[in-house]
Amino acid sequence: MMPTAHLVYFSPTGTTRKVSESIAQGLGAKKVIHYDLTPADTRFKTVLTDGVAVIGIPVYAGRVPELCLQRLQGITARHIPAVLVALYGNREFEDALVELRDLSVAKGFNIVAAGAFIGEHSFSTPTQPLAAGRPDAEDLTMAEQFGKRVAVKIQGGDYNTPSIDGNVPYRECSKLGGLTPETDSERCILCGKCAEVCPPGVITVSESVATNADGCIMCCACARACEAQARFFIHPRIEEKRAMLQKNSSIPKTPEIFL
Ligand SMILES: Cc1cc2nc3c(=O)[nH]c(=O)nc-3n(C[C@H](O)[C@H](O)[C@H](O)COP(=O)(O)O)c2cc1C
């Protein structure tokens, strides 16, 4: 049995966290320690010296989100084994896993396994669903089994890094910045939940809700968390993206593992 699993993740809408937790369950660790890099006030400066790490990130434009890369800088390891997880919205994970591998190696982790799993796309809505309900029970079972296989690999003394799909140098990612979800002031009850869950902390709530579009990462955590259903991402460029994803990325993909 593994002594400790360090669960490091950035997960605005919770799917990366879910899959990472299932992997940790499969690892069979006695103790699971969470390092949630999502909240705006996250300030980790940690050196991991024992156990195994599970490092989970969502895929944005085929890469690791910039904010997530910055926050991962605060976690360093002294050569402990790590499992990498890329969570993507059923389009492609492209270079996200190799980018995460390179950063993790530079931070002192020894990569023993990696997996690309599918989660509901951040832009998914009830009327235009994109990978809705993922990760489902089958995905989570696969994640747990993956964790079990990683535990067997480590316990067998095999610390080799597998070959992982992706391009090095990474492909340039398309920039979709400057856009942000909007608030329907008729429905908004100014509860402040959107500001509370916003990873970059760019929402302020007083007599109305204001969002600094420059810092918005478009993760849609605010829209998901809004109990009054007053927060929507309805910009024409996003509508266009949703339609394209529905057209080209609707066939459910299967998780891929590298062990
Ligand atoms: C700005 C942005 C870009 C995204 N780019 C991709 C992508 O390139 N490929 C893909 O399959 N999903 C993409 N997604 C979807 C996320 O990878 C997916 O929703 C993920 O499950 C979110 O993780 P979380 O629930 O942990 O926040 C993107 C989402 C956002 C917000």
Side-chain angles (χ1 to χ4, degrees):
M1 182 182 270
M2 300 278 167
T4 308
H6 301 279
L7 218 53
V8 180
Y9 52 85
F10 178 80
S11 186
T13 59
T15 60
T16 306
R17 176 183 175 142
K18 256 193 201 168
V19 168
S20 303
E21 282 175 338
S22 291
I23 294 170
Q25 208 170 326
L27 285 170
K30 260 196 201 151
K31 192 166 140 199
V32 179
I33 305 173
H34 286 247
Y35 304 82
D36 185 357
L37 306 179
T38 325
D41 60 0
T42 296
R43 298 280 180 276
F44 284 108
K45 268 235 163 295
T46 310
V47 183
L48 306 178
T49 55
D50 63 352
V52 55
V54 178
I55 308 175
I57 58 103
V59 176
Y60 284 11
R63 300 280 296 274
V64 182
E66 183 60 38
L67 186 63
C68 181
L69 284 175
Q70 288 166 17
R71 291 186 182 173
L72 280 167
Q73 292 296 340
I75 313 269
T76 304
R78 292 224 178 98
H79 306 295
I80 69 163
V83 185
L84 306 181
V85 186
L87 231 290
Y88 70 106
N90 203 57
R91 189 186 68 77
E92 297 289 348
F93 63 93
E94 294 173 291
D95 304 340
L97 268 183
V98 286
E99 187 179 19
L100 180 61
R101 175 199 61 199
D102 295 346
L103 173 75
S104 306
V105 168
K107 299 298 295 175
F109 291 95
N110 179 20
I111 312 310
V112 292
F117 287 80
I118 298 95
E120 180 157 355
H121 201 292
S122 323
F123 299 162
S124 177
T125 67
T127 51
Q128 279 178 297
L130 302 164
R134 305 285 299 270
D136 55 21
E138 205 177 324
D139 292 316
L140 296 178
T141 303
M142 284 177 83
E144 192 176 338
Q145 279 167 355
F146 172 49
K148 283 186 180 154
R149 288 181 63 190
V150 176
V152 169
K153 176 172 175 171
I154 294 172
Q155 276 150 5
D158 179 358
Y159 290 90
N160 288 326
T161 303
S163 166
I164 298 170
D165 283 2
N167 303 287
V168 181
Y170 324 126
R171 274 182 290 206
E172 275 300 302
C173 52
S174 53
K175 295 260 177 283
L176 249 180
L179 309 177
T180 186
E182 290 162 35
T183 302
D184 177 345
S185 55
E186 308 257 294
R187 288 184 175 199
C188 178
I189 54 167
L190 300 171
C191 69
K193 188 82 190 162
C194 53
E196 212 178 285
V197 301
C198 175
V202 295
I203 304 177
T204 41
V205 180
S206 50
E207 278 116 63
S208 64
V209 178
T211 312
N212 176 359
D214 288 341
C216 176
I217 60 167
M218 305 193 296
C219 66
C220 297
C222 54
R224 294 282 167 85
C226 180
E227 282 164 23
Q229 292 179 341
R231 193 92 178 153
F232 301 98
F233 206 7
I234 46 168
H235 190 279
R237 274 167 67 195
I238 296 300
E239 296 293 351
E240 201 183 299
K241 180 94 185 150
R242 276 195 195 102
M244 199 185 75
L245 288 167
Q246 280 206 311
K247 185 164 170 268
N248 301 331
S249 308
S250 58
I251 299 168
K253 296 201 168 165
T254 314
E256 278 176 66
I257 59 170
F258 306 93
L259 199 61

